[in-house]
Every structure is written in C-alpha cells, then in structure tokens.
Amino acid sequence: MGADNQQERLDTKWIVGFTDGEGCFHIAINRIPGMKLGWQVLPEFRIVQHEKDEELLHKIKEYFGFGDVRVNRTDHHGTRKEFRVRGLENLDKIVEFFRQNHLMTSKRKDFDIFSKGIEMMKNKEHLNKEGLDKIAKFISEMNRKPIIEYLKSSETERQNFCFKQE
Amino acid sequence: MGADNQQERLDTKWIVGFTDGEGCFHIAINRIPGMKLGWQVLPEFRIVQHEKDEELLHKIKEYFGFGDVRVNRTDHHGTRKEFRVRGLENLDKIVEFFRQNHLMTSKRKDFDIFSKGIEMMKNKEHLNKEGLDKIAKFISEMNRKPIIEYLKSSETERQNFCFKQE
C-alpha cells in the first residue's frame, strides 16, 4: 500500500463493508470462580488483519476514537493483528454505529444478537442467573455456530462457555 | 438478514470495503496445447460468500450490471457462491471502478498488478512470449504468494501456471 493511500480518511460505508467482510461480534462467557455467579460475560468487537495492514487497523481505531490494536495470533502464515473494542461504554458506541449504518451480510444477525447482549448488560441482567441463561441462549443463535459446552452440560457440570467465531 | 435489508441499495464505498475484505483479483495462466503459445491467460475478479448470502452477491452483480453468480465450491462448511467477472470488456470496467474508488488494504497492490495485466491484454501483449513472461513476473509479485510452477520450471518443462489466491 502506497504512502498516498495512508493519507485517505476512512469512509463510514467503507468501514461497514469491511466489517461485513472481516469484522467479528463476539461474546464469551468465561468461568471465573471468584465472581458471584461463577461466570463472566465478555463481549468484544474485533477486526483481524495480517500485520502488513496494521496501519489500517490504527486508522480504524482513529476513526472510532477508542479500542486497541494488538496481536491476535502468530502462526505459519505470520502474525495477525486485531483492532479490538471491549468495555460497555465503547461497545455501546459500536452498537449505535452499526444501528445507523446497516451491515449487508448475514453478519447483521450476529450484530442484532450482540446488541441485545450489550443492552442486557447495560441493565445488569447478566449479574443474575435468569439473565445469564438468556444471554447464553441468544449467543447460541449466532450465525457461526459457537462451541456451546454450557448449554449442553448440566448445571453442575458447567466448566466452560466460550464462543469462538474465527 | 431481514427482507428490509435486501431493499437497501449497495453503496459504492461499501463495495470497496467489502472487496478489501472479501474480493480477489486473480490471474491464471493455464496450459492449453491448442493455443499459439500453448498458454491461456485468464484474469478474473471474484467475491466469495457462503450461499446464505447469495442474495447479496446478486445485488453486487446488479450494482455493476455484469458478471455471474455461481457455485465456488462445496465442502463440509456448506456451499460457497461467488460473484465472478471474466472477459476483458467487463474487467476493464472493474479496473476503472477501483481506480476511482481506492482499496485501503494491501490488496491494492494485487489490484495494481491485476490492472497492469488487463492493460497488457488489451494491447494483446499476452499473445507473444515476451508479454506472457512479463505478465508471469507481475503475477509473482502479488500479495498472496501464488503457486509459481511456470517460473520455477525450465521452458520445456512448463506444465502448469495457475495462481491460487484462496
């Protein structure tokens, strides 16, 4: 990518198109024994790219005004970096952005579920068992089938509840 | 994806962002014994999606006004469909589109090489050996390293010259 290309400001619709291709709306529910219910709900939005396009991830971060650019993973294909947003306050802005600027692929279904999850967390519903179960069921309807150990296991056997959407 | 979403017209910048994520500029050089030089240069532009988003591929086709929507491949993940453009006349319009609407990722480098190849083919340079060699060298500089049997083998051993960018 030439230096001249780096000067161009990112366009809103470009962000939406790129997210339709490369974005990921992800909610993990991780076993944390010290917490009240024993589970932590961890939503995040991310866009992963090969490190050669790291500069672009920084431009996306600059566009939104929050989030982090960090290593996603390293393997025989090289290192992948990700633009990652966590935290309810910033994720709420992400939800607002994609409510105003519609995704065009079936990833929109994932986004709709994700935004319901964020809404419930804002209402602190994830801190009681009924809310946690509801979030778990929402996530299981996401576009890319996650690993649903939680929903398959009995209540006493629940060990892990992490939804991967690679 | 809801029916209401299907009604929305695709935006130019969305197309660019989606192509930055999912598009592929591809030039194959296939062994065709019956042809003058024994090789056929076959450029194509494609966007591949799971069949659940086939309707969106039709909307992209509608946006450009040419191209085909067809099966890309079927495996254990299901069937993937592709929007595919072949033929110099239409590919020339694709090149013009992305000259006016810049790609933001390093895929732009692939596009630059692709557009040089299309330019050479318009000038019929691929029909003589010097031109064919030049195109072959251009392609070998593409972002995603292709399979370069042609460039590795001696002139008499050349069997296959197909660049895959999956």
Side-chain angles (χ1 to χ4, degrees):
Chain A
M1 185 156 53
D4 59 328
N5 198 23
Q6 295 291 342
Q7 304 300 319
E8 294 176 44
R9 197 186 173 280
L10 296 182
D11 178 275
T12 300
K13 294 293 186 191
W14 181 91
I15 298 262
V16 179
F18 197 55
T19 300
D20 261 316
E22 303 285 284
C24 176
F25 300 94
H26 179 276
I27 300 180
I29 303 187
N30 301 315
R31 187 92 174 99
I32 307 281
M35 294 183 80
K36 189 185 161 196
L37 289 179
W39 299 94
Q40 177 202 39
V41 182
L42 186 61
E44 65 180 40
F45 170 66
R46 60 175 182 246
I47 298 176
V48 178
Q49 287 292 284
H50 190 277
E51 64 178 344
K52 64 176 174 275
D53 279 318
E54 177 175 356
E55 190 54 36
L56 185 62
L57 297 178
H58 283 285
K59 284 172 76 75
I60 294 172
K61 175 184 171 177
E62 196 180 292
Y63 179 93
F64 284 109
F66 50 77
D68 292 302
V69 176
R70 56 197 294 284
V71 171
N72 172 265
R73 66 172 183 273
T74 298
D75 59 21
H76 63 286
H77 292 301
T79 296
R80 290 179 176 271
K81 296 284 180 83
E82 64 181 19
F83 166 67
R84 188 187 75 177
V85 180
R86 285 186 174 178
L88 278 186
E89 191 181 339
N90 289 335
L91 286 172
D92 199 36
K93 291 175 189 164
I94 290 289
V95 165
E96 190 52 35
F97 176 84
F98 288 107
R99 276 191 184 142
Q100 285 178 21
N101 303 287
H102 294 170
L103 293 158
M104 302 301 288
T105 62
S106 53
K107 199 167 281 180
R108 186 166 172 177
K109 186 185 162 196
D110 283 356
F111 167 72
D112 287 342
I113 293 168
F114 183 83
S115 64
K116 277 185 199 168
I118 297 297
E119 206 58 46
M120 290 181 70
M121 289 183 77
K122 281 168 65 186
N123 296 332
K124 301 193 185 304
E125 293 179 61
H126 61 301
L127 301 180
N128 64 67
K129 198 185 163 304
E130 292 69 25
L132 189 62
D133 279 354
K134 204 169 162 189
I135 292 175
K137 275 171 194 151
F138 275 153
I139 301 172
S140 73
E141 287 163 14
M142 275 182 153
N143 196 31
R144 297 192 186 188
K145 289 300 173 209
I147 299 162
I148 320 180
E149 296 305 323
Y150 180 90
L151 293 177
K152 280 191 298 188
S153 63
S154 77
E155 202 162 350
T156 54
E157 284 171 340
R158 286 170 191 167
Q159 293 299 319
N160 189 31
F161 183 22
C162 178
F163 295 92
K164 288 179 187 163
Q165 289 197 91
E166 295 305 325
Chain B
M1 186 159 51
D4 58 329
N5 199 21
Q6 295 290 341
Q7 304 299 319
E8 295 176 43
R9 198 188 174 277
L10 295 182
D11 177 275
T12 299
K13 295 293 185 189
W14 182 91
I15 298 261
V16 179
F18 197 55
T19 300
D20 262 315
E22 303 284 285
C24 176
F25 299 94
H26 180 277
I27 301 180
I29 303 185
N30 301 315
R31 187 94 175 100
I32 308 282
M35 293 184 81
K36 189 185 163 197
L37 289 179
W39 299 94
Q40 177 203 38
V41 182
L42 186 61
E44 64 180 39
F45 170 66
R46 60 174 182 248
I47 297 176
V48 179
Q49 289 291 284
H50 190 277
E51 65 178 343
K52 64 176 173 274
D53 278 318
E54 178 175 356
E55 190 54 37
L56 185 62
L57 296 178
H58 283 285
K59 284 173 75 74
I60 295 173
K61 175 183 171 178
E62 196 179 291
Y63 178 94
F64 283 109
F66 50 78
D68 293 301
V69 175
R70 58 198 293 285
V71 171
N72 172 266
R73 68 171 183 274
T74 298
D75 59 21
H76 62 287
H77 292 300
T79 296
R80 290 179 175 271
K81 296 284 180 82
E82 64 181 19
F83 165 67
R84 189 186 74 176
V85 180
R86 284 186 174 179
L88 278 186
E89 191 181 339
N90 289 336
L91 286 173
D92 199 36
K93 289 174 191 166
I94 290 289
V95 166
E96 191 53 35
F97 176 83
F98 287 108
R99 276 191 184 143
Q100 287 177 19
N101 304 286
H102 294 171
L103 293 158
M104 302 301 289
T105 63
S106 54
K107 200 168 278 179
R108 186 166 172 176
K109 186 185 162 193
D110 283 356
F111 167 72
D112 288 341
I113 293 168
F114 184 83
S115 64
K116 278 185 197 169
I118 297 298
E119 207 58 45
M120 290 182 69
M121 289 183 77
K122 280 167 65 186
N123 296 332
K124 300 192 185 303
E125 293 178 62
H126 62 300
L127 301 179
N128 64 66
K129 198 187 164 304
E130 291 71 23
L132 188 61
D133 281 352
K134 204 169 160 187
I135 292 173
K137 276 171 194 151
F138 275 153
I139 302 171
S140 72
E141 287 163 15
M142 275 180 155
N143 196 29
R144 296 192 187 190
K145 290 300 171 207
I147 299 162
I148 318 180
E149 297 302 324
Y150 179 91
L151 294 177
K152 281 190 297 188
S153 62
S154 77
E155 200 161 355
T156 54
E157 285 171 340
R158 286 170 191 167
Q159 293 299 319
N160 188 30
F161 184 22
C162 178
F163 296 92
K164 287 179 189 165
Q165 290 196 91
E166 295 305 327

